[in-house]
Amino acid sequence: MSISVSLTDSRARVGVWLIGARGSVATTVVAGCAAVTAGLQAPVGMVTETAPFAGSGLPALSSLVFGGHDTLDCPLPKRAEALAAGGVLPHGLPEAIAADLAAADAEIKPGGPLPGDTRRPDELIDAFAADIRDFVRRHGLARAVVVNVASTEPVAAGPDLPSSSLYAAAALRAGCPYVNFTPSTGLHHPALADAAVTSGLPYAGRDGKTGQTLLRSVLGPMFAQRALAVRAWSGTNLLGGGDGAALADPAAAAAKNAGKERVLTDTLGTTPEGRTHIDDVPALGDWKTAWDHITFDGFLGTRMTLQTTWQGCDSALAAPLVLDLARLTARAHEAGLTGPLTELGFYFKDPVGDAPSALGAQYEVLTGFAERLRTHAADHGGDAEGAR
Amino acid sequence: MSISVSLTDSRARVGVWLIGARGSVATTVVAGCAAVTAGLQAPVGMVTETAPFAGSGLPALSSLVFGGHDTLDCPLPKRAEALAAGGVLPHGLPEAIAADLAAADAEIKPGGPLPGDTRRPDELIDAFAADIRDFVRRHGLARAVVVNVASTEPVAAGPDLPSSSLYAAAALRAGCPYVNFTPSTGLHHPALADAAVTSGLPYAGRDGKTGQTLLRSVLGPMFAQRALAVRAWSGTNLLGGGDGAALADPAAAAAKNAGKERVLTDTLGTTPEGRTHIDDVPALGDWKTAWDHITFDGFLGTRMTLQTTWQGCDSALAAPLVLDLARLTARAHEAGLTGPLTELGFYFKDPVGDAPSALGAQYEVLTGFAERLRTHAADHGGDAEGAR
Amino acid sequence: MSISVSLTDSRARVGVWLIGARGSVATTVVAGCAAVTAGLQAPVGMVTETAPFAGSGLPALSSLVFGGHDTLDCPLPKRAEALAAGGVLPHGLPEAIAADLAAADAEIKPGGPLPGDTRRPDELIDAFAADIRDFVRRHGLARAVVVNVASTEPVAAGPDLPSSSLYAAAALRAGCPYVNFTPSTGLHHPALADAAVTSGLPYAGRDGKTGQTLLRSVLGPMFAQRALAVRAWSGTNLLGGGDGAALADPAAAAAKNAGKERVLTDTLGTTPEGRTHIDDVPALGDWKTAWDHITFDGFLGTRMTLQTTWQGCDSALAAPLVLDLARLTARAHEAGLTGPLTELGFYFKDPVGDAPSALGAQYEVLTGFAERLRTHAADHGGDAEGAR
Amino acid sequence: MSISVSLTDSRARVGVWLIGARGSVATTVVAGCAAVTAGLQAPVGMVTETAPFAGSGLPALSSLVFGGHDTLDCPLPKRAEALAAGGVLPHGLPEAIAADLAAADAEIKPGGPLPGDTRRPDELIDAFAADIRDFVRRHGLARAVVVNVASTEPVAAGPDLPSSSLYAAAALRAGCPYVNFTPSTGLHHPALADAAVTSGLPYAGRDGKTGQTLLRSVLGPMFAQRALAVRAWSGTNLLGGGDGAALADPAAAAAKNAGKERVLTDTLGTTPEGRTHIDDVPALGDWKTAWDHITFDGFLGTRMTLQTTWQGCDSALAAPLVLDLARLTARAHEAGLTGPLTELGFYFKDPVGDAPSALGAQYEVLTGFAERLRTHAADHGGDAEGAR
């Protein structure tokens, strides 16, 4: 398939429409993009700012325009203040980038459905899609990417579309690429399968790997490559914030854990004993501690163990990846790519399509993708297939 | 360069000549090879027994014949009993493979120089080389590989050849490939540089990575690929056994630590703050605990930490790698390869030649090497360059 | 109350009747007592063998005679072999003390009720009591102590006596002091309250503290004494063996966790956030790993953390305490003490009666008790109240 | 000895003269006292604010007046800003208590000797004592306590008085009680022994236990009371800030470590294998991580381990103890007590005089002391001996 695309123009403005736009991750995305653009902070944690991505034609950080849906009311500047008080954002940053926060805040529309909302699913999708189209039009954006960073939904039961799928359908209806950074259903609903194909839009997901699973995606391959027999892999996650409360719901935790355990099975080639717990510990605020205990056999059956303790701030780990994904997906859209972006498996616990599960191999696929985008960018409107 | 080699014959007997042949690692190598050959144990931890190495023409485990040098007297069967009491070897194993232990024990010759030995270095090299040649001749071996698994030497000062280099020179003189599994000088001595080249022998090293450094070689790339800024990487190793005592010598520890820190610098692209300690804790026997504490910055400078605790048995981690290396190096010799085997960097802290430092990339190089050896084996005496 | 007791005679033989007599703990109790008596092992972990207990008139280890109930068939010598293979007992010990294992094995009677058993509770109690009386009579024992070391029962629902309570009632009916080393109901059943009082027998419990809770009983007071505000205390226990499987039942785990959390509430004076998990990890065998993560506030609200990882063998931790308790309770019975032995709170997660919850304070109470027993022993039959 | 003291008056103003008055600990002491006095923060971590100390006649926090010596210039308000940026002080606190910081800053006099200072030791002592007397006089203080919170000195060699001893001598010369919160020599110099006795002043020390040693003082007794045989106790401390740099000097670290290991020897009754490292890791700023690895034998020699990781902020741990000590020592002085205050061993790694080494026992001694001070306070000028 050969398509014609406009000249790569990193100055063209690109929209990032966040589902869950008033949450910790979204607030950190908006604040962080502004801080880096203003030169107040280095782009630590942004893979797309490293050498292999130079010249790949990604939209500049300064070209990103933020908006989104949320069911909450709390203004972004206030949310940012709370994050700064909790040590997630640097002190003084919310004041320094107050205008950027206010601008994004003005573009957040009410999400749904809230209790009492009698609109049918299709009406909701229409309303959400209209919000997005309006955002694109008013800002004269070249395109917008919809990214789901809302709290994890319980595993869906039944044929009804969960909220995350309503938003995903709205993205397609508005002609926007879609990225699911959470384990929620999103575009993975049978009712959306056809629309995903016929839309001709690129999409990526599911469930960003930011901490414990990131670690597992390098430790699993290490054991496998060394032919060490992992017998048990147990884990406990302690987290506060909204995420802790959402995941205290066993159904929501089940969605999250499925991804965590899939990485083990995929990289080890077997499913070890052991469970993974997610505990709500409000005292931890936006911080998270993940302990993993791995029992393995060495030569002659000698039993050994590895323990890891990861202490991180989920929003600070997730936000740069969200910016990466928004840029890469926008660029893929510009380059005429369609369907699942399997090249972005590096970012996800449960990547779409067939892709390697070891982080190192995923990184090679990702940088190879950057290389192809670079070639494509150099060709100014060449064959989109060339970007694959 | 095109050379002619004989038919790959995995039944030809191959010698494994161990420097430090009465140590824990050597004893575990001999006992483990016998146990796996006899079907008493699965080859857990032996990378060369996994699928990518099938058909690469490696010598069969049952074809390996063991001998070596040591300055100690303790008979191997007694050493094996002590290891079984300490949980390193399965109980009952020393009895089950008593004949194999006795056979190897009979092939261990006195090492040196011991205090009072007045032989000049060249005389010692001659004596050691004669021991090795005699071993090869008496057993009718196709070839023998010399592997250094002796205790770590202090960093050499001055022009004198340290013991490890005397043994390395003897390997060359006896026409044998050489593998340095320790951080000792071995073939890395300026006085041996010419001989290494002119010998036309393959060699590999240095310093097997079995625990903490293995971990570092997957965690370092993870941080780098995610563009997370590692600020400090501190480590403490607690180990008993002979290794603990040897490394309590700061000069010996310095040799070991150089390799551990090199992996960080190579994979991170920068040298973080922090030190690495090696403590002698006799109560730990053959077991080792390594704690690493990593401080890194995420997005917007948010400070996070990762801690790892590795509890392993060094002998059980090292022994299968020694068997891997002996087989791969013997096969490389058979295939006519010469000089530094950079393809074996997967096994070492401080690999010879230019090679990637991330474990995943090293694994790809290694399996690529296995693939080329397979092609070569299938060609029955084809171009040795093809095996590279 | 003044009572007359016979002369303290540490040579008089004393029975130890174990409920769960074929389990890991019971096997370790029998094997360990024999090993120490034979001089094969030092009495590490036995508090009653330390200086403060000298002269307190405790029965000698060599005077203890073992028997018990179990619903399983596996002979003790075979059980001991399995424990030796798992590293819980020293290799060679089962052979060295074969006669002691066989003697105890011969005194283990079938427990119950097993499925299909149609006897009413009272009949079962009678049968169990008859077994115990018969044991005492045949061996000419001065007395016997019944100790529950069976697997944890699910929390009882309804008025029916659970198995642990049937055995406790049998102990009373047989005139024997009773110790509950588990969190099961035992004597804590309302239907047994009157019998416990009128029996005039001493009793102790409940739920030996051997690892994580032992730690909590010193760390909780540390935080309280330093006026540090503990915000959250989360824990994960990984254990294999029969205990792991039994506690995988949420109802059984609930019984266990209640005790673990009680120690925190009692020592901190408040109940922190956080949960405690118990996971069945069969690969760990008889070994257990417990991770605790404690979040606390220091001066000016500065948030800090303590993490602990305890890796122990439950049977080896429990067995010496069981021997301690059997000796102390037998001695209390000899001294004419009745009712709850609050002085033994040092050993339990959920001690009977009012007693301090900090380990240090419990230790002082315990050694004070030893002192009073010593005085009492010196008085040859003095006032039993004096032993309190 | 019976002495007459004036009425306890908690409104009388009391001086706290800090050696190292511009350091992190001193700044946190001044800021924290102001914050608690103003009701901005709860007195978390202050033992003297808990129930057992009510009515003991301690000076009110609002009555404390701060001053001190330092060789540095950095103004306290600026120092406080830096601590707030590092998360040690709450954001906004330095502004809220600006007046208190400025007041203390104005009372900090130049310490010494600095390079080039030609004054003899006696002249320096005189100058320091004059500074203190002047402070007391100008503020009309009932008394002042001198507390050493300066960086740890290298272990003194030779007969010369180190700086810490010059300040201690100055305290005596000015008639002030002295508390050494560091492992530096202070009053422990032979040349000061007579003066300490004849001064008739109370004093306390040495080396506040705030983290790793605090833990050791509860874990050591736990192992001892349970008759578990500790074989090895290894530790690594990672710390940044000024303390990290000071303790990177092996001579300074030696002083610190002596105290840490003494606690083990005292509580275990034996000195286990293992070393304790102190590493300077500037990236950690004012935060400290201490890892301990304990290897112990249980019943029948079964080997087990406990690991602890303590992540704390030293200044926030130390400051409330410094306030406690200043109050208790001032009160002891008021009550006419003289010589070493052995009752304060709860606070120190290396307490003066004979005292228990287990934290629980030290706590009982401390609260007993509070009780005696209360009785004394109630007696309005009774026998000072009664306060002991």
Side-chain angles (χ1 to χ4, degrees):
Chain A
M1 182 181 70
S2 171
I3 61 165
S4 169
V5 297
S6 62
L7 258 164
T8 294
D9 179 358
S10 68
R11 289 158 309 172
R13 302 184 79 206
V14 169
V16 181
W17 188 264
L18 301 161
I19 310 303
R22 299 192 186 286
S24 296
V25 173
T27 308
T28 308
V29 165
V30 172
C33 183
V36 173
T37 298
L40 300 173
Q41 292 283 335
V44 174
M46 288 194 63
V47 181
T48 51
E49 288 289 310
T50 60
F53 295 83
S56 293
L58 305 183
L61 289 175
S62 58
S63 74
L64 303 183
V65 180
F66 296 94
H69 283 118
D70 205 316
T71 53
L72 301 178
D73 282 339
C74 180
L76 272 198
K78 195 171 162 194
R79 203 74 189 71
E81 279 302 336
L83 290 172
V88 181
L89 297 182
H91 283 278
L93 182 61
E95 295 78 2
I97 53 152
D100 302 86
L101 292 168
D105 192 66
E107 291 294 348
I108 304 179
K109 306 301 171 198
L114 288 171
D117 192 333
T118 57
R119 289 177 288 178
R120 283 174 293 103
D122 202 61
E123 290 174 302
L124 285 161
I125 295 171
D126 260 347
F128 296 155
D131 288 338
I132 301 171
R133 277 203 211 93
D134 184 53
F135 169 68
V136 170
R137 187 183 49 72
R138 281 186 290 103
H139 289 279
L141 305 176
R143 64 191 44 78
V145 177
V146 174
V147 188
N148 181 17
V149 291
S151 286
T152 298
E153 283 174 354
V155 173
D160 289 353
L161 285 182
S163 287
S164 65
S165 296
L166 298 177
Y167 291 117
L172 300 185
R173 200 164 289 182
C176 293
Y178 174 79
V179 178
N180 190 355
F181 201 75
T182 80
S184 299
T185 305
L187 217 47
H188 273 56
H189 196 283
L192 299 182
D194 284 351
V197 171
T198 59
S199 73
L201 291 163
Y203 56 88
R206 182 161 71 153
D207 201 5
K209 64 179 177 235
T210 56
Q212 187 179 48
T213 312
L214 176 65
L215 261 181
R216 290 178 169 193
S217 72
V218 299
L219 296 176
M222 178 191 80
F223 286 110
Q225 290 166 357
R226 278 295 175 100
L228 298 165
V230 172
R231 297 285 306 273
W233 199 308
S234 304
T236 297
N237 291 273
L238 312 177
L239 64 167
D243 227 25
L247 294 167
D249 174 349
K256 193 96 180 176
N257 280 334
K260 287 174 180 288
E261 289 174 4
R262 185 187 331 260
V263 170
L264 295 183
T265 301
D266 288 351
T267 57
L268 296 173
T270 176
T271 301
E273 294 175 6
R275 300 181 54 195
T276 301
H277 302 284
I278 303 182
D279 286 11
D280 182 27
V281 182
L284 292 177
D286 288 289
W287 293 78
K288 176 174 160 184
T289 295
W291 176 70
D292 262 17
H293 180 279
I294 307 150
T295 304
F296 63 100
D297 284 348
F299 200 43
L300 309 177
T302 311
R303 189 63 48 88
M304 315 192 194
T305 62
L306 170 64
Q307 294 174 67
T308 63
T309 304
W310 173 274
Q311 295 168 298
C313 171
D314 244 24
S315 302
L317 288 160
L321 307 181
V322 169
L323 287 169
D324 279 350
L325 286 162
R327 298 172 89 185
L328 288 161
T329 306
R331 178 71 181 94
H333 186 233
E334 181 192 43
L337 301 178
T338 65
L341 295 170
T342 57
E343 295 90 343
L344 305 186
F346 176 75
Y347 292 99
F348 296 110
K349 290 195 187 74
D350 180 16
V352 294
D354 271 335
S357 51
L359 190 77
Q362 292 173 332
Y363 183 71
E364 290 193 23
V365 169
L366 179 66
T367 52
F369 184 53
E371 168 65 27
R372 289 195 300 283
L373 288 175
R374 184 158 51 248
T375 311
H376 179 76
D379 290 351
H380 292 310
D383 184 351
E385 292 300 306
R388 277 322 243 286
Chain B
M1 183 181 69
S2 172
I3 61 165
S4 169
V5 298
S6 62
L7 257 162
T8 295
D9 180 357
S10 69
R11 291 156 310 171
R13 302 185 79 208
V14 169
V16 181
W17 188 264
L18 300 162
I19 310 303
R22 298 191 186 287
S24 296
V25 173
T27 307
T28 307
V29 165
V30 172
C33 184
V36 173
T37 299
L40 301 173
Q41 292 284 334
V44 175
M46 288 193 62
V47 181
T48 53
E49 288 290 310
T50 60
F53 296 83
S56 294
L58 305 184
L61 288 176
S62 58
S63 75
L64 302 184
V65 181
F66 296 94
H69 283 117
D70 206 315
T71 53
L72 301 177
D73 283 339
C74 179
L76 273 198
K78 195 171 161 193
R79 202 73 189 72
E81 280 301 339
L83 289 173
V88 182
L89 298 182
H91 284 277
L93 181 61
E95 297 76 3
I97 55 153
D100 301 87
L101 291 168
D105 191 65
E107 291 295 349
I108 303 180
K109 305 304 172 198
L114 289 171
D117 192 333
T118 57
R119 289 177 289 179
R120 284 175 293 106
D122 202 61
E123 290 175 303
L124 286 161
I125 295 171
D126 261 346
F128 296 155
D131 288 339
I132 300 171
R133 278 202 209 92
D134 185 52
F135 169 69
V136 170
R137 187 185 47 73
R138 281 186 291 105
H139 288 281
L141 304 175
R143 67 191 41 77
V145 176
V146 174
V147 188
N148 182 18
V149 291
S151 285
T152 298
E153 284 174 351
V155 173
D160 289 354
L161 287 181
S163 288
S164 66
S165 295
L166 298 177
Y167 291 117
L172 300 186
R173 201 166 287 182
C176 293
Y178 174 79
V179 178
N180 190 355
F181 201 75
T182 78
S184 300
T185 306
L187 216 49
H188 272 56
H189 197 281
L192 299 182
D194 285 351
V197 171
T198 60
S199 72
L201 291 163
Y203 56 89
R206 182 164 68 158
D207 202 4
K209 64 178 177 238
T210 55
Q212 188 181 46
T213 313
L214 176 65
L215 263 181
R216 290 178 169 194
S217 73
V218 299
L219 296 176
M222 178 191 80
F223 287 109
Q225 290 167 358
R226 279 294 175 102
L228 298 166
V230 172
R231 298 285 306 272
W233 199 308
S234 304
T236 297
N237 292 272
L238 312 178
L239 66 167
D243 227 25
L247 293 168
D249 174 349
K256 194 96 179 178
N257 280 335
K260 285 174 181 289
E261 290 175 3
R262 186 186 330 263
V263 171
L264 294 184
T265 301
D266 288 353
T267 58
L268 296 175
T270 175
T271 302
E273 293 175 9
R275 300 182 54 193
T276 302
H277 301 284
I278 303 182
D279 286 10
D280 181 29
V281 181
L284 291 177
D286 288 290
W287 292 77
K288 177 174 159 183
T289 295
W291 176 70
D292 262 16
H293 180 280
I294 306 149
T295 304
F296 62 99
D297 284 347
F299 199 44
L300 309 179
T302 311
R303 189 63 49 85
M304 315 193 193
T305 62
L306 169 65
Q307 294 175 67
T308 64
T309 304
W310 174 274
Q311 294 168 300
C313 171
D314 244 25
S315 302
L317 288 161
L321 307 182
V322 169
L323 288 167
D324 279 351
L325 286 164
R327 299 171 87 185
L328 289 163
T329 307
R331 179 69 182 94
H333 187 232
E334 182 192 43
L337 301 178
T338 65
L341 294 170
T342 56
E343 295 89 345
L344 305 185
F346 176 74
Y347 292 100
F348 297 110
K349 290 194 187 76
D350 180 18
V352 293
D354 271 335
S357 51
L359 191 76
Q362 292 173 333
Y363 181 72
E364 290 192 25
V365 169
L366 179 67
T367 52
F369 184 54
E371 169 65 28
R372 290 194 300 280
L373 289 173
R374 182 159 53 248
T375 310
H376 179 76
D379 291 349
H380 294 310
D383 184 351
E385 293 299 308
R388 280 319 247 290
Chain C
M1 179 180 71
S2 171
I3 61 166
S4 169
V5 300
S6 63
L7 256 162
T8 294
D9 180 357
S10 69
R11 290 156 310 170
R13 303 185 78 208
V14 168
V16 182
W17 188 263
L18 300 161
I19 310 304
R22 299 191 187 286
S24 296
V25 173
T27 307
T28 308
V29 165
V30 173
C33 184
V36 173
T37 299
L40 301 173
Q41 293 284 335
V44 174
M46 289 194 61
V47 181
T48 52
E49 287 291 308
T50 60
F53 295 83
S56 293
L58 305 183
L61 289 175
S62 58
S63 75
L64 302 183
V65 181
F66 296 94
H69 284 116
D70 206 315
T71 54
L72 301 177
D73 283 338
C74 179
L76 272 198
K78 195 171 161 195
R79 203 74 189 70
E81 280 301 338
L83 289 173
V88 182
L89 297 182
H91 284 277
L93 181 62
E95 297 78 1
I97 55 152
D100 302 86
L101 291 168
D105 191 66
E107 292 294 349
I108 302 179
K109 306 302 172 199
L114 287 171
D117 191 334
T118 57
R119 290 176 288 180
R120 284 175 293 104
D122 201 61
E123 290 174 302
L124 285 161
I125 296 170
D126 260 346
F128 297 155
D131 289 337
I132 301 169
R133 277 202 210 91
D134 184 53
F135 168 69
V136 170
R137 188 184 46 73
R138 283 186 290 104
H139 289 280
L141 304 175
R143 69 191 41 73
V145 177
V146 174
V147 187
N148 182 18
V149 290
S151 285
T152 300
E153 284 174 353
V155 173
D160 289 353
L161 285 182
S163 289
S164 65
S165 296
L166 299 176
Y167 291 117
L172 300 185
R173 201 166 287 183
C176 293
Y178 174 79
V179 178
N180 191 355
F181 201 75
T182 80
S184 300
T185 306
L187 217 48
H188 273 56
H189 196 282
L192 300 183
D194 283 352
V197 171
T198 59
S199 71
L201 291 163
Y203 56 87
R206 180 163 72 156
D207 202 5
K209 65 178 175 239
T210 56
Q212 187 180 47
T213 313
L214 175 64
L215 262 181
R216 290 178 170 194
S217 73
V218 299
L219 295 177
M222 178 191 79
F223 286 109
Q225 290 166 359
R226 278 294 175 104
L228 297 166
V230 172
R231 297 286 305 272
W233 198 309
S234 304
T236 297
N237 291 273
L238 312 177
L239 65 167
D243 227 25
L247 293 168
D249 174 348
K256 194 95 180 177
N257 280 335
K260 286 175 180 287
E261 290 175 2
R262 185 188 328 263
V263 171
L264 294 185
T265 301
D266 288 353
T267 58
L268 296 174
T270 175
T271 302
E273 293 176 8
R275 301 182 53 194
T276 301
H277 302 284
I278 302 182
D279 286 10
D280 182 28
V281 183
L284 291 177
D286 288 290
W287 292 77
K288 177 175 159 182
T289 295
W291 175 70
D292 263 16
H293 180 279
I294 307 148
T295 303
F296 63 98
D297 284 347
F299 198 44
L300 308 179
T302 312
R303 190 63 49 85
M304 314 192 194
T305 62
L306 170 65
Q307 294 175 67
T308 63
T309 304
W310 173 274
Q311 295 168 298
C313 171
D314 244 25
S315 302
L317 288 161
L321 306 182
V322 169
L323 288 168
D324 279 350
L325 285 163
R327 299 170 88 185
L328 288 162
T329 308
R331 179 69 181 94
H333 186 233
E334 181 191 44
L337 300 178
T338 65
L341 294 170
T342 56
E343 295 88 346
L344 305 186
F346 175 74
Y347 292 100
F348 297 109
K349 290 194 187 75
D350 180 17
V352 294
D354 272 335
S357 51
L359 190 77
Q362 292 173 332
Y363 182 72
E364 289 192 25
V365 169
L366 179 66
T367 52
F369 184 53
E371 168 66 27
R372 289 195 300 282
L373 289 173
R374 183 158 53 249
T375 311
H376 179 77
D379 290 351
H380 294 309
D383 184 349
E385 292 300 307
R388 278 315 236 304
Chain D
M1 182 181 69
S2 172
I3 60 166
S4 170
V5 297
S6 62
L7 257 163
T8 294
D9 179 358
S10 69
R11 289 157 309 170
R13 303 184 79 206
V14 169
V16 182
W17 187 264
L18 300 162
I19 311 302
R22 299 192 186 285
S24 296
V25 173
T27 308
T28 308
V29 165
V30 172
C33 184
V36 173
T37 299
L40 301 173
Q41 293 283 335
V44 174
M46 288 195 61
V47 181
T48 52
E49 287 290 309
T50 61
F53 295 83
S56 292
L58 304 184
L61 289 175
S62 58
S63 75
L64 301 184
V65 181
F66 296 94
H69 283 118
D70 206 315
T71 54
L72 301 178
D73 282 338
C74 180
L76 272 197
K78 195 171 162 194
R79 202 75 190 69
E81 279 302 337
L83 289 172
V88 181
L89 297 182
H91 283 279
L93 182 60
E95 294 78 3
I97 54 151
D100 302 85
L101 291 168
D105 191 66
E107 291 295 348
I108 303 180
K109 305 302 171 197
L114 289 171
D117 191 333
T118 57
R119 290 176 288 179
R120 284 175 292 105
D122 202 62
E123 290 173 303
L124 286 160
I125 296 171
D126 261 347
F128 296 155
D131 288 338
I132 301 170
R133 277 202 211 94
D134 184 53
F135 169 69
V136 170
R137 188 183 47 74
R138 279 186 292 106
H139 289 280
L141 305 174
R143 65 190 44 72
V145 177
V146 174
V147 187
N148 181 18
V149 291
S151 286
T152 299
E153 282 174 353
V155 173
D160 289 354
L161 286 181
S163 287
S164 66
S165 296
L166 298 177
Y167 291 116
L172 300 185
R173 200 165 289 181
C176 293
Y178 174 80
V179 178
N180 190 354
F181 201 75
T182 81
S184 300
T185 305
L187 217 50
H188 274 56
H189 197 283
L192 299 183
D194 284 352
V197 172
T198 58
S199 72
L201 291 163
Y203 56 88
R206 186 162 69 155
D207 202 5
K209 64 180 177 236
T210 56
Q212 187 180 48
T213 313
L214 176 65
L215 262 182
R216 290 179 169 192
S217 74
V218 299
L219 295 176
M222 178 192 80
F223 287 110
Q225 289 166 359
R226 278 294 174 102
L228 298 165
V230 172
R231 299 285 305 273
W233 200 308
S234 304
T236 297
N237 292 272
L238 311 178
L239 66 166
D243 227 24
L247 293 167
D249 174 349
K256 194 97 180 177
N257 280 335
K260 286 174 181 287
E261 290 175 3
R262 186 189 329 263
V263 170
L264 294 184
T265 301
D266 287 352
T267 57
L268 297 173
T270 175
T271 302
E273 294 175 7
R275 300 181 53 193
T276 301
H277 302 283
I278 302 182
D279 287 9
D280 181 29
V281 182
L284 292 177
D286 288 289
W287 292 77
K288 177 175 160 182
T289 295
W291 176 69
D292 262 17
H293 180 278
I294 306 149
T295 304
F296 63 98
D297 285 348
F299 200 43
L300 309 177
T302 310
R303 188 64 48 86
M304 314 192 195
T305 62
L306 170 63
Q307 295 174 66
T308 63
T309 304
W310 174 274
Q311 295 168 298
C313 171
D314 245 24
S315 302
L317 288 160
L321 307 181
V322 168
L323 289 168
D324 279 351
L325 286 163
R327 299 171 88 184
L328 288 161
T329 307
R331 178 71 180 95
H333 186 233
E334 181 192 44
L337 302 178
T338 65
L341 294 170
T342 57
E343 294 90 345
L344 305 185
F346 176 74
Y347 292 99
F348 296 109
K349 291 194 186 76
D350 179 17
V352 294
D354 272 336
S357 50
L359 190 77
Q362 292 173 332
Y363 182 71
E364 291 193 22
V365 169
L366 179 67
T367 50
F369 184 54
E371 168 66 27
R372 290 195 300 283
L373 289 174
R374 183 158 53 249
T375 312
H376 179 74
D379 290 351
H380 293 311
D383 184 350
E385 292 301 307
R388 280 311 250 289

